[in-house]
């Protein structure tokens, strides 16, 4: 029997021990752990607010006060072997571009990787997605490689973070991952052909303090509007509680978004 006094990098227990150490330190300096996302920590001192996102040994840090951000980095450096990588440009397959109004998030390279995995780099482009309402359980031949189908669909699910236009179609096709058919694969290929022509599309996060939510759809939008009305009301309530009813004080959160890397 051996008792470890220090968790070694690479062991199955190491990530848990590492997260425990980091979270305990962040809590000790005033951060609060998010109840929605265990990798998100929030620090608020009344006039300023800061967000710290952790993924393994990478950290994203942003806030409303650039001086305090550097102080937080110094505090982290006192306990961790930290390297400041400056303004974030690429994180978890998402390309981050600073604009005069905020941040533009794209997944250009990620889309190209999906097309390569699907063998569709030379496929023709289409301007529209196939209507997801036509995706039903058909008496069709089962797809020959269901594992490949599920892998592509899993990748497309992560892509919806910046490509909101494919959310509904991807969600509909995902309902048939347990038993995909050739017809379902044709729908997936259509989505991929559409994405090939929209690799430059992205998600623009602005500094606007407005809480208005806008949505655009071209398939059965009356039903979607009825469903979305409930979701918008719920989301609006959650957002207002998150920002303590004072969105104006958080209008400049997107200015200093920094990426940090921690050495094991």
């Amino acid at each position: 029997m051996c008792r470890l006094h220090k968790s070694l990098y690479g062991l199955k227990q190491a990530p848990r021990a590492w997260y425990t150490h980091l979270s305990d330190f962040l809590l000790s300096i005033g951060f609060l752990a998010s109840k929605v996302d265990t990798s998100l920590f929030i620090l608020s001192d009344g006039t300023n607010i800061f967000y710290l996102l952790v993924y393994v040994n990478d950290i994203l840090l942003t806030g409303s006060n650039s001086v305090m951000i550097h102080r937080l980095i110094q505090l982290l450096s006192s306990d961790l072997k930290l390297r400041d990588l400056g303004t974030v440009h690429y994180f978890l397959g998402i390309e981050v571009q600073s604009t005069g109004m905020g941040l533009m998030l794209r997944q250009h390279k990620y889309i190209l990787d999906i097309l390569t995995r699907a063998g569709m780099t030379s496929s023709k482009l289409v301007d529209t997605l196939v209507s997801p309402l036509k995706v039903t359980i058909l008496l069709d031949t089962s797809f020959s490689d269901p594992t490949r189908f599920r892998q592509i669909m899993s990748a497309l699910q992560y892509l919806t973070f910046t490509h909101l236009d494919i959310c509904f179609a991807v969600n509909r096709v995902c309902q048939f991952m347990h038993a995909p058919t050739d017809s379902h694969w044709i729908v997936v290929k259509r989505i991929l052909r559409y994405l090939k022509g929209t690799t430059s599309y992205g998600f623009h996060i602005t500094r606007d303090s407005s809480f208005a939510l806008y949505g655009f759809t071209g398939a059965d939008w009356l039903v979607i509007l009825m469903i979305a009305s409930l979701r918008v009301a719920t989301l609006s309530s959650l957002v207002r509680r998150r920002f303590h009813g004072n969105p104006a004080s958080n209008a400049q959160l997107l200015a200093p978004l920094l990426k940090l890397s921690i050495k094991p």
Side-chain angles (χ1 to χ4, degrees):
M1 297 291 293
C2 298
R3 180 179 179 182
L4 290 178
H5 294 282
K6 184 177 181 181
S7 181
L8 301 179
Y9 189 81
L11 295 180
K12 290 193 298 184
Q13 297 86 350
R16 181 178 299 178
W18 152 245
Y19 175 80
T20 301
H21 174 80
L22 178 61
S23 61
D24 289 344
F25 178 76
L26 292 175
L27 295 175
S28 69
I29 62 176
F31 277 91
L32 296 177
S34 171
K35 296 180 179 180
V36 179
D37 188 347
T38 57
S39 61
L40 178 63
F41 295 85
I42 304 169
L43 173 63
S44 176
D45 63 358
T47 57
N48 296 307
I49 190 167
F50 305 90
Y51 294 95
L52 188 145
L53 183 67
V54 182
Y55 181 78
V56 191
N57 62 338
D58 286 336
I59 292 178
L60 283 183
L61 177 63
T62 187
S64 55
N65 188 315
S66 58
V67 175
M68 278 295 297
I69 287 179
H70 290 293
R71 291 181 182 176
L72 289 173
I73 293 176
Q74 292 176 357
L75 279 175
L76 290 170
S77 301
S78 65
D79 186 72
L80 307 168
K81 293 182 180 179
L82 194 94
R83 187 158 58 104
D84 187 355
L85 301 179
T87 305
V88 63
H89 297 288
Y90 192 80
F91 188 73
L92 300 182
I94 300 176
E95 302 159 27
V96 183
Q97 179 184 0
S98 297
T99 66
M101 296 297 295
L103 296 175
M104 175 65 76
L105 306 182
R106 292 190 179 92
Q107 290 175 281
H108 173 79
K109 182 179 181 301
Y110 187 78
I111 295 176
L112 297 180
D113 291 341
I114 297 177
L115 292 172
T116 301
R117 290 167 57 186
M120 297 187 60
T121 54
S122 59
S123 60
K124 296 182 179 179
L125 307 181
V126 293
D127 295 328
T128 59
L129 289 163
V130 65
S131 174
L133 298 180
K134 296 180 181 179
V135 182
T136 56
I137 300 178
L138 303 175
L139 297 176
D140 196 3
T141 306
S142 298
F143 187 58
S144 58
D145 192 353
T147 300
R148 180 189 180 197
F149 183 94
R150 297 184 184 105
Q151 290 175 343
I152 297 298
M153 290 310 303
S154 297
L156 290 177
Q157 283 181 311
Y158 185 69
L159 183 61
T160 58
F161 183 81
T162 59
H163 275 65
L164 306 181
D165 48 339
I166 68 170
C167 284
F168 191 73
V170 170
N171 177 267
R172 288 290 293 170
V173 179
C174 283
Q175 297 177 23
F176 307 100
M177 286 203 296
H178 63 288
T181 66
D182 290 340
S183 297
H184 297 142
W185 180 243
I186 292 175
V187 177
V188 174
K189 289 198 297 184
R190 171 105 185 185
I191 296 175
L192 294 175
R193 291 169 60 194
Y194 169 80
L195 288 173
K196 185 180 178 182
T198 60
T199 56
S200 61
Y201 286 16
F203 185 62
H204 196 197
I205 304 177
T206 67
R207 299 175 181 175
D208 187 3
S209 60
S210 172
F211 280 88
L213 299 179
Y214 300 92
F216 302 89
T217 180
D220 197 15
W221 75 265
L222 180 59
V223 174
I224 295 176
L225 181 61
M226 295 170 62
I227 298 174
S229 61
L230 177 60
R231 293 179 178 176
V232 167
T234 304
L235 180 60
S236 176
S237 176
L238 290 174
V239 169
R240 291 181 187 277
R241 287 203 298 269
R242 169 62 65 194
F243 289 103
H244 309 289
N246 185 19
S249 64
N250 303 286
Q252 298 180 350
L253 285 180
L254 299 174
L257 183 58
L258 303 179
K259 182 179 179 182
L260 309 173
S261 178
I262 298 175
K263 298 180 180 179

